Coordinates of all heavy atoms in Angstrom, one line a residue:
D722 N -2.7 30.3 1.0 CA -4.0 30.5 1.4 C -4.4 31.9 1.1 O -3.5 32.7 0.9 CB -4.1 30.3 2.9 CG -3.0 31.0 3.7 OD1 -2.2 31.7 3.2 OD2 -3.2 30.9 5.0
D723 N -5.6 32.3 1.3 CA -6.1 33.6 1.0 C -7.5 33.9 1.7 O -7.9 33.0 2.3 CB -6.4 33.9 -0.5 CG -6.0 35.2 -1.0 OD1 -6.2 36.2 -0.2 OD2 -5.6 35.5 -2.1
Y724 N -7.8 35.2 1.7 CA -9.1 35.5 2.4 C -10.3 35.0 1.7 O -10.3 34.6 0.5 CB -9.2 37.0 2.4 CG -8.2 37.7 3.3 CD1 -7.1 38.3 2.6 CD2 -8.2 37.7 4.6 CE1 -6.0 38.8 3.3 CE2 -7.2 38.3 5.3 CZ -6.1 38.9 4.7 OH -5.2 39.4 5.3
A725 N -11.2 34.6 2.5 CA -12.5 34.0 2.0 C -13.3 35.0 1.1 O -13.5 36.2 1.6 CB -13.4 33.5 3.1
F726 N -13.7 34.6 0.0 CA -14.7 35.5 -0.8 C -15.9 35.7 0.0 O -16.4 34.7 0.6 CB -15.1 34.9 -2.1 CG -14.0 35.0 -3.2 CD1 -13.6 33.8 -3.9 CD2 -13.5 36.3 -3.6 CE1 -12.6 33.9 -4.9 CE2 -12.6 36.3 -4.6 CZ -12.1 35.2 -5.4
G727 N -16.4 36.9 0.0 CA -17.7 37.2 0.8 C -17.2 37.6 2.3 O -18.2 37.9 3.0
G728 N -16.0 37.6 2.6 CA -15.6 38.1 3.9 C -15.7 37.0 5.1 O -16.0 35.9 4.7
G729 N -15.4 37.5 6.2 CA -15.3 36.5 7.3 C -14.0 36.4 7.9 O -13.0 36.4 7.0
A730 N -13.9 35.9 9.1 CA -12.4 35.6 9.7 C -12.0 34.3 9.2 O -12.7 33.4 8.8 CB -12.6 35.5 11.3
G731 N -10.7 34.3 9.2 CA -10.0 33.1 8.8 C -9.5 32.9 7.4 O -10.3 33.5 6.5
M732 N -8.5 32.2 7.1 CA -8.0 32.1 5.8 C -8.4 30.8 5.1 O -8.8 29.8 5.8 CB -6.5 32.0 5.8 CG -5.9 33.3 6.4 SD -6.1 34.8 5.5 CE -4.7 34.7 4.4
V733 N -8.5 30.6 3.7 CA -8.9 29.5 3.2 C -7.8 28.8 2.2 O -7.0 29.7 1.6 CB -10.2 29.8 2.2 CG1 -10.5 28.6 1.4 CG2 -11.3 30.3 3.1
M734 N -7.4 27.6 2.3 CA -6.4 27.0 1.5 C -6.8 27.1 0.0 O -8.0 26.7 -0.3 CB -6.1 25.6 2.0 CG -5.3 25.7 3.2 SD -5.1 24.1 4.1 CE -4.0 23.4 2.9
H785 N -6.2 23.2 6.9 CA -5.8 24.1 8.1 C -6.6 25.3 8.0 O -7.4 25.5 6.9 CB -4.4 24.3 8.0 CG -3.6 23.7 9.2 ND1 -3.5 24.2 10.4 CD2 -3.1 22.5 9.2 CE1 -2.8 23.4 11.2 NE2 -2.6 22.3 10.5
Y786 N -6.6 26.2 8.9 CA -7.3 27.4 9.0 C -8.8 27.1 8.8 O -9.3 26.2 9.3 CB -6.7 28.3 7.9 CG -5.2 28.3 7.9 CD1 -4.5 28.0 6.7 CD2 -4.5 28.6 9.0 CE1 -3.2 28.0 6.6 CE2 -3.0 28.6 8.9 CZ -2.4 28.2 7.8 OH -1.2 28.2 7.7
K787 N -9.4 27.8 7.9 CA -10.9 27.6 7.7 C -11.1 26.4 6.7 O -12.2 26.2 6.3 CB -11.5 28.9 7.0 CG -11.7 29.9 8.1 CD -13.1 29.6 8.8 CE -13.1 30.3 10.1 NZ -14.1 29.7 11.0
G788 N -9.9 25.7 6.3 CA -10.2 24.6 5.5 C -9.8 24.9 4.0 O -9.3 25.9 3.7

Side-chain angles (χ1 to χ4, degrees):
D722 56 356
D723 212 330
Y724 297 101
F726 280 126
M732 304 294 273
V733 177
M734 286 170 66
H785 249 271
Y786 318 120
K787 280 278 156 198

